[in-house]
Amino acid sequence: MYVSHLSLHDFRSYPSVEVPLDAGVTAFVGRNGQGKTNLVEAIDYLSRLQSHRVATDAPLVRAGAEQAVVRAAVVRDGRTATLEVEINAGRANKARINKSPLPRTRDLVGLVRTVVFSPEDLTLVKGDPSDRRRFLDDLMILRAPRLAGVRSDYDRVLKQRNSLLKTAGLARGSAREGALATLSVWDDHLATIGAEILAQRLSLVEALRPYVGKAYETVARGASRDDAEITYKPVVEPVVEPVETTPSVETLRQAILDELARRQKDELDRGISLVGPHRDDLLLHISAGTERLPVKGYASHGESWSFALALRLAAYDLLRADGDDPILILDDVFAELDSQRRVQLAELVADAEQVLVTAAVPEDVPAALAGARYHVKAGEVTRDE
Ligand SMILES: Nc1ncnc2c1ncn2[C@@H]1O[C@H](COP(=O)(O)OP(=O)(O)OP(=O)(O)O)[C@@H](O)[C@H]1O
Ligand SMILES: [Mg+2]
């Protein structure tokens, strides 16, 4: 798929801009702060209804404006659809397809599929487990958009359950009895929805693993495909026999319930949910000689970067294997890479259906990514002839 036209209204720094686009490579070049990332961020937002730069929507609306509109014509298998999202400051967002409103905004998620490489990706490797969980969840939702609903249900259950844990932890006597009875209902919700998320993440990591090894081999100098490894680390490890079988959703649900029962006192004391996929991590390891080392705390800067790139490339390859090329966004990444990695990455992505690159100077765009060039200056986006 590719975006053939992008319109922004009051999105970030743009009062209004129209950008016609082609399939293949397009580079946006311009000095710092001119609005290059804002353009690609808008396309990524349309895909996930989330920005790769900020957790909330407020910064996406131009300062002083009430709402931002992102509209894109998206071509898939020769057919064009116009997707639109209206981002409202302090009110619910709205989505439209070919001008018809969607009943739920989140039904837009996954209709455009993007994979973004950005300098922020280093947090995938160096950041908290929540950064890696988000990476997995975003990918799983792009592959199966209905999971956006499952994830938001889980977040809601977690919030409710946490506030109940706080109340129950402080209550005494019959009030406590009542709160505990209600808690068991929320335990059930958490286990049921949590098990589904857990099962999805486990199978996603299985699917992703070979691609990560392959991608790491390509981007890390002298590495082989066994040198990078990902492992899902759940807080609840179900016992399954034989060990190599994939646990069923029901097994996972039961395992979460058992662990909830076992940790109930801790949870009440601390007033937070300690059991469930919101506490899990994705472990990253590299080989150094015969040793297997965690990336965080051990890997060099270059190795960390290679691993982060490998995760993104693997996500791209996996989505591609599902049958439709996602739109690849390379936001300011080439400046971060040495010349050999630049060339390797450029060659890997050069045949993607659509690649959008941002760079401060033209020299940062590798020769292998020749294509359309736009100059971005003070909110004006002009095509170089
Ligand atoms: N909500 C907003 N309202 C108005 N201006 C904004 C808003 N959010 C960001 N900006 C402005 O947009 C500009 C940043 O744009 P962007 O991040 O696209 O720059 P860039 O061209 O990618 O720069 P760099 O090369 O440094 O990455 C900044 O000047 C910032 O002040
Ligand atoms: Mg930028």
Side-chain angles (χ1 to χ4, degrees):
M1 68 172 63
Y2 69 96
V3 171
S4 61
H5 191 96
L6 176 68
S7 315
L8 303 181
H9 295 279
D10 289 330
F11 183 85
R12 291 280 196 184
S13 54
Y14 291 97
S16 176
V17 70
E18 302 290 331
V19 189
L21 293 164
D22 290 320
V25 180
T26 300
F28 298 103
V29 180
R31 300 229 326 267
N32 297 136
Q34 300 300 306
K36 305 178 299 290
T37 300
N38 294 346
L39 293 173
V40 292
E41 181 184 39
I43 294 177
D44 182 44
Y45 186 86
L46 214 46
S47 153
R48 301 182 298 125
L49 296 178
Q50 229 184 354
S51 155
H52 70 288
R53 291 200 287 189
V54 283
T56 60
D57 284 348
L60 305 179
V61 179
R62 194 169 66 89
E66 289 289 303
Q67 63 167 212
V69 176
V70 177
R71 193 178 305 123
V74 179
V75 183
R76 184 176 180 173
D77 299 330
R79 305 229 308 252
T80 306
T82 304
L83 309 189
E84 180 183 311
V85 65
E86 187 183 293
I87 307 165
N88 292 309
R91 266 190 308 129
N93 296 344
K94 288 195 181 122
R96 292 185 194 87
I97 297 182
N98 296 330
K99 302 212 169 102
S100 323
L102 289 177
R104 286 177 313 186
T105 308
R106 71 161 185 257
D107 292 339
L108 199 69
V109 169
L111 295 179
V112 178
R113 308 205 298 177
T114 51
V115 174
V116 182
F117 291 70
S118 77
E120 283 87 357
D121 286 346
L122 211 50
T123 62
L124 276 179
V125 170
K126 301 204 163 180
D128 297 334
S130 63
D131 293 308
R132 289 178 288 280
R133 290 195 298 267
R134 193 171 328 113
F135 166 75
L136 291 177
D137 288 355
D138 285 351
L139 183 55
M140 124 193 144
I141 287 167
L142 281 188
R143 297 183 79 207
R146 77 167 182 90
L147 295 173
V150 178
R151 184 171 64 173
S152 70
D153 287 349
Y154 187 79
D155 291 345
R156 191 175 43 83
V157 167
L158 205 55
K159 226 171 163 176
Q160 303 260 22
R161 191 172 180 277
N162 284 346
S163 74
L164 189 61
L165 279 171
K166 286 194 184 77
T167 331
L170 297 172
R172 295 287 169 264
S174 64
R176 188 176 167 97
E177 293 298 305
L180 289 180
T182 316
L183 186 61
S184 82
V185 176
W186 288 102
D187 288 356
D188 251 7
H189 291 319
L190 186 139
T192 304
I193 307 172
E196 179 162 13
I197 293 177
L198 188 49
Q200 293 286 347
R201 286 198 195 148
L202 286 168
S203 80
L204 176 63
V205 171
E206 281 312 302
L208 206 53
R209 180 173 296 128
Y211 291 110
V212 172
K214 191 178 128 245
Y216 190 76
E217 181 180 35
T218 327
V219 291
R221 200 164 302 149
S224 83
R225 64 182 51 203
D226 300 324
D227 289 346
E229 209 183 339
I230 57 171
T231 321
Y232 191 76
K233 179 81 184 86
V235 283
V236 178
E237 301 241 29
V239 183
V240 277
E241 299 286 348
V243 274
E244 66 272 17
T245 37
T246 319
S248 69
V249 179
E250 180 48 33
T251 306
L252 295 170
R253 196 182 80 88
Q254 199 52 56
I256 295 175
L257 280 175
D258 293 348
E259 189 66 6
L260 282 169
R262 204 177 69 79
R263 303 283 309 267
Q264 192 183 59
K265 190 177 171 306
D266 278 356
E267 289 199 320
L268 287 167
D269 287 347
R270 294 177 53 185
I272 50 165
S273 298
L274 300 171
V275 177
H278 64 288
R279 306 280 292 189
D280 294 351
D281 196 359
L282 178 70
L283 305 183
L284 315 176
H285 286 96
I286 51 166
S287 303
T290 53
E291 298 293 325
R292 220 169 130 261
L293 300 174
V295 172
K296 201 173 170 177
Y298 287 86
S300 71
H301 186 69
E303 285 168 337
S304 301
W305 250 111
S306 295
F307 211 114
L309 279 179
L311 288 173
R312 290 291 179 206
L313 276 173
Y316 177 72
D317 285 340
L318 186 65
L319 288 171
R320 206 175 197 190
D322 289 343
D324 190 15
D325 267 27
I327 296 164
L328 204 54
I329 293 172
L330 304 172
D331 183 20
D332 235 354
V333 285
F334 290 109
E336 302 273 341
L337 301 176
D338 58 43
S339 55
Q340 191 182 345
R341 278 199 185 80
R342 275 186 194 197
V343 172
Q344 275 164 334
L345 181 63
E347 282 171 357
L348 278 177
V349 303
D351 67 332
E353 191 170 353
Q354 186 168 45
V355 188
L356 305 174
V357 183
T358 75
V361 287
E363 303 82 73
D364 280 348
V365 184
L369 293 181
R373 291 276 162 106
Y374 284 87
H375 188 70
V376 181
K377 190 175 178 191
E380 297 281 329
V381 184
T382 41
R383 191 165 176 149
D384 293 356
E385 295 309 332

